[in-house]
């Protein structure tokens, strides 16, 4: 199996995004790769863009809120966990809801 370094994976995802700039799966994947390189600002901006444009993209709520939590932005993290729980409930995604709720409760209580 071919192993790609993080910067190679980022470049590869960016190539795919050039052809499909609104693909939330690719944007989410790019944000996760940026996190691995320590680019928290880039990752945060991507997660926020995804959720602003596609609030039903449930998978990004947890990652954005967790990132904000790690950056010490507790109130912002709480807000994104709450929005994520609402979106997960609307999508009938119980697994995502439970993950978001658990992380939210760990942070708040």
């Amino acid at each position: 199996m071919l192993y790609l370094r993080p910067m190679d994976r980022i470049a590869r995802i960016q190539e795919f995004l050039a052809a499909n700039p609104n693909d939330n799966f690719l944007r989410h994947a790019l944000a996760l790769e940026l996190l691995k390189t320590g680019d928290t600002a880039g990752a945060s901006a991507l997660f926020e863009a995804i959720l602003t444009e596609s609030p039903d993209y449930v998978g990004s709520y947890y990652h954005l809120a967790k990132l904000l939590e790690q950056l010490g932005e507790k109130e912002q993290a709480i807000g994104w966990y709450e929005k994520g729980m609402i979106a997960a409930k609307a999508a009938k995604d119980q697994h995502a809801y439970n993950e978001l709720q658990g992380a939210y409760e760990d942070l708040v209580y």
Side-chain angles (χ1 to χ4, degrees):
M1 185 169 156
L2 180 66
Y3 173 77
L4 294 176
R5 295 182 319 238
M7 296 310 289
D8 294 336
R9 287 192 300 268
I10 289 171
R12 188 70 182 238
I13 294 168
Q14 288 172 328
E15 287 176 22
F16 290 131
L17 273 171
N20 300 295
N22 297 319
D23 185 315
N24 287 328
F25 178 80
L26 291 173
R27 291 169 30 168
H28 182 89
L30 180 57
L32 293 176
E33 290 300 324
L34 291 174
L35 277 178
K36 291 176 187 176
T37 67
D39 184 357
T40 57
S44 178
L46 266 173
F47 286 136
E48 285 191 40
I50 292 166
L51 295 172
T52 299
E53 296 164 22
S54 303
D56 60 338
Y57 199 77
V58 176
S60 291
Y61 285 98
Y62 176 87
H63 293 283
L64 175 56
K66 188 55 75 175
L67 171 58
L68 292 168
E69 184 180 337
Q70 291 167 351
L71 294 173
E73 301 290 341
K74 182 178 178 180
E75 294 307 314
Q76 283 186 303
I78 289 170
W80 284 108
Y81 282 131
E82 289 171 343
K83 289 176 189 176
M85 287 186 285
I86 292 167
K89 189 172 268 193
K92 297 180 177 24
D93 186 338
Q94 191 63 42
H95 177 75
Y97 180 87
N98 290 343
E99 267 191 333
L100 288 157
Q101 183 181 33
Y104 171 83
E105 289 176 357
D106 286 346
L107 181 59
V108 173
Y109 305 110

